[in-house]
Amino acid sequence: MATTRTAHTVWQGNLAQGQGTVTFDSSGIGEQPVSWPSRAEQANGKTSPEELIAAAHSSCFSMALSHGLTQAGNPPTQLTTQADVTFQPGTGITGIHLTVEGTVDGLDEAAFTAAAEDAKKNCPVSQALAGTEITLSAKLA
C-alpha cells in the first residue's frame, strides 16, 4: 500500500531577511524555524532543507541496510548512520556523504561494506536523489 507523508512551510519576507516555519503534518512532531542564514551560514537553532534531507537519508539508508543484512541472515544489533549534505550557495546541493558504523555478528568488514553499498544504491531516498553524488564510508564497530 502506498503512503504519502506531508509537511508544509510558511515563509514570510524575502530570501535574505525572511524566515519560515516548516510543520511536520503527518507525524505531528511539531514545527521548526528555517531561514536563509540557517541554510547558508550557521544553524543557530534553526533547521534547513539540507538538514531535513540528511535526516531522511540517514534513516532510510539505515532501514535499507538493516533489511538487507537481515535478508542475508545477519541481522544487525545496531547501525549508526550520519548523512552529511553539502550545500553551496549559488550552486545547490553538491554532495551527500553517508557514514555508517554497524554491530553485526558473523559478518566481516568486506561483507558489511558490500551490504552498505547496496543499501546506498537502493534505498528510496538515494534513488530520489540520484542526481546528486552520494559517497559512503562503512565500518564495523
Side-chain angles (χ1 to χ4, degrees):
M1 171 177 10
T3 60
T4 300
R5 300 294 184 250
T6 305
H8 77 273
T9 300
V10 176
W11 186 266
Q12 298 168 335
N14 66 28
L15 176 61
Q17 288 84 35
Q19 61 185 352
T21 303
V22 61
T23 302
F24 300 91
D25 299 313
S26 298
S27 64
I29 61 172
E31 302 175 342
Q32 291 296 314
V34 63
S35 69
W36 176 254
S38 70
R39 183 177 195 184
E41 299 166 17
Q42 294 297 316
N44 293 322
K46 298 178 182 175
T47 194
S48 68
E50 291 72 29
E51 184 178 37
L52 298 171
I53 290 170
H57 206 174
S58 66
S59 59
C60 183
F61 171 86
S62 294
M63 290 180 202
L65 180 54
S66 176
H67 180 68
L69 290 167
T70 300
Q71 292 294 101
N74 297 96
T77 302
Q78 179 171 307
L79 300 170
T80 302
T81 304
Q82 178 173 313
D84 298 306
V85 178
T86 303
F87 174 74
Q88 177 64 48
T91 302
I93 294 173
T94 58
I96 301 170
H97 184 74
L98 298 169
T99 304
V100 62
E101 182 174 279
T103 303
V104 186
D105 292 335
L107 205 62
D108 65 18
E109 199 81 34
F112 181 71
T113 299
E117 285 289 347
D118 186 64
K120 178 188 86 162
K121 176 182 170 190
N122 293 306
C123 95
V125 171
S126 289
Q127 291 176 347
L129 301 170
T132 302
E133 180 182 11
I134 301 170
T135 57
L136 173 70
S137 298
K139 69 176 185 175
L140 290 171

